[in-house]
Amino acid sequence: MLSDYNLIVLCAEAFATGAIHEELTPTLYRLSTEGIIFNNYYNSFINNTTDGEYTMCMGLYPDNSRDKASASFYASRNSYLPFCLGNAFLEQKGVQSYGYHNHISQYYGRNQTHPNMGYIMKFAKDGLDMGNSWPTSDLDMMMQSVDDYIRQDEQFHAYYMTFSGHLMYYTYHNAMAKKNWNLVKDLEGLSDMSKCYLACNIELDRALAYLMERLEEAGVADKTAIVLAGD
């Protein structure tokens, strides 16, 4: 059904359905109500970022006996991975794929693992100007990356590991929660931590809104699949 579509994959930091709000995260709401939703699944291991991202990128279960420093993703950095999407697009279609993460490249060894999956990567302070906040803005990452791959006459694939949704969910400790606090502070029935979590994901929603606007402007929105799942 999606043969020859462009593909944009987002592994969204700490994403869960609590980030979807019809008014405050309308783009996420649109994707969750108009797209293809995979509800009939269960998770057989306790996620952390690197193992959840590994599973999404590899289609394999992680080895949970490993610690984070030697996790399954890091162990794959020198493996031959022809079926990862970046390599598959390059080897099967001759399409160079691009990847982005708005945190430092050395974290979890992504500067080694992600190029090995076939991506030309940009990270915070290594291709992306993200500043020093914790966490950084997914919108800023999106605005600095879309021009790398969006071409009307050429198929493309891009991968994002987002960061704006990262804990801790306190305004004094989280730049994205503080940035968007005024949009959530008066919500009823939510704890302050829940409000901060939603505020963080407003930044992800803004990134997606920008992405979809650019796809529409380029005339490729109807031929582009966007895949989003939590880490």
Side-chain angles (χ1 to χ4, degrees):
M1 183 173 66
L2 302 178
S3 177
D4 297 324
Y5 271 50
N6 305 308
L7 177 63
I8 299 173
V9 174
L10 299 100
C11 187
E13 174 64 50
F15 182 79
T17 54
I20 301 173
H21 190 285
E22 185 173 2
E23 296 177 358
L24 295 175
T25 57
T27 309
L28 286 167
Y29 182 81
R30 176 185 173 190
L31 291 174
S32 71
T33 54
E34 298 179 10
I36 302 170
I37 312 302
F38 296 91
N39 288 320
N40 193 20
Y41 73 97
Y42 70 97
N43 194 13
S44 62
F45 61 93
I46 299 173
N47 270 17
N48 59 53
T49 294
T50 186
D51 282 346
E53 188 183 13
Y54 172 84
T55 297
M56 184 172 181
C57 291
M58 303 289 181
L60 299 171
Y61 290 117
D63 178 357
N64 289 130
S65 69
R66 294 175 173 271
D67 60 25
K68 285 189 176 185
S70 61
S72 292
F73 217 152
Y74 187 70
S76 77
R77 67 194 184 280
N78 295 317
S79 300
Y80 176 50
L81 302 172
F83 302 116
C84 288
L85 288 171
N87 287 326
F89 265 80
L90 184 60
E91 295 180 16
Q92 299 175 25
K93 298 174 176 289
V95 173
Q96 179 61 64
S97 300
Y98 295 83
Y100 307 92
H101 178 46
N102 43 334
H103 193 37
I104 58 174
S105 63
Q106 297 87 354
Y107 208 82
Y108 291 132
R110 289 188 178 100
N111 55 338
Q112 300 178 61
T113 56
H114 287 47
N116 189 46
M117 292 191 293
Y119 295 110
I120 294 176
M121 289 296 302
K122 289 185 178 181
F123 300 94
K125 302 182 180 180
D126 186 5
L128 298 174
D129 182 8
M130 300 306 305
N132 297 312
S133 69
W134 177 278
T136 53
S137 167
D138 293 340
L139 174 60
D140 287 349
M141 172 174 62
M142 195 66 70
M143 293 176 69
Q144 294 181 48
S145 61
V146 172
D147 284 329
D148 289 344
Y149 57 82
I150 190 166
R151 303 180 185 91
Q152 201 162 357
D153 58 346
E154 185 176 325
Q155 190 179 20
F156 58 79
H157 166 48
Y159 172 78
Y160 290 90
M161 177 67 224
T162 73
F163 188 34
S164 290
H166 206 290
L167 52 74
M168 299 291 289
Y169 303 117
Y170 306 104
T171 54
Y172 59 82
H173 190 78
N174 189 306
M176 295 301 106
K178 184 176 182 179
K179 177 181 178 181
N180 299 316
W181 177 249
N182 283 340
L183 298 173
V184 301
K185 63 182 178 65
D186 295 326
L187 293 176
E188 296 181 357
L190 294 179
S191 67
D192 281 355
M193 288 184 69
S194 297
K195 292 175 184 178
C196 285
Y197 174 75
L198 184 54
C200 290
N201 282 284
I202 287 173
E203 201 69 10
L204 170 62
D205 192 80
R206 288 172 171 162
L208 287 166
Y210 175 82
L211 171 63
M212 295 179 73
E213 179 182 348
R214 292 295 307 277
L215 294 172
E216 293 281 358
E217 290 175 352
V220 296
D222 290 341
K223 288 292 292 182
T224 302
I226 299 174
V227 176
L228 186 148
D231 61 351

